[in-house]
Amino acid sequence: MNTAYRMPAFFVRLCVFSTHPYFEKILSVPNVVEQNHLGNFFADLDRLITLHQRKLELLQNIKKSLLDKMFV
């Protein structure tokens, strides 16, 4: 399911903390199918947030206009 990668040697040499044990750790990276699923999930979530923001703005404008009419 997960693929393990080691930090590339050139990256470790370029870092100030190249001797730090953190750079010797194995990184787990999801496979391509999981990455696509996660990408789609976050894209859908972003669209949903945008839709709710638009709805909120619409409702706030309606509220403002109704309050203006009430106190004219």
Side-chain angles (χ1 to χ4, degrees):
M1 183 181 275
N2 288 340
T3 307
Y5 291 98
R6 289 201 174 270
M7 293 292 256
F10 68 87
F11 182 79
V12 174
R13 289 189 189 122
L14 290 176
C15 292
V16 176
F17 304 105
S18 62
T19 58
H20 196 276
Y22 172 78
F23 293 106
E24 298 172 6
K25 300 290 182 188
I26 295 175
L27 300 176
S28 295
V29 178
N31 61 34
V32 176
V33 174
E34 288 177 312
Q35 290 178 21
N36 287 333
H37 284 291
L38 287 170
N40 291 336
F41 170 77
F42 285 114
D44 291 342
L45 184 62
D46 188 47
R47 281 190 288 275
L48 185 62
I49 290 171
T50 301
L51 289 173
H52 281 281
Q53 286 175 334
R54 289 179 186 161
K55 184 176 179 181
L56 176 64
E57 289 172 6
L58 177 67
L59 292 172
Q60 286 174 335
N61 287 337
I62 291 171
K63 176 184 174 184
K64 182 179 177 189
S65 66
L66 290 174
L67 286 173
D68 288 343
K69 286 180 183 180
M70 190 179 349
F71 295 111
V72 171

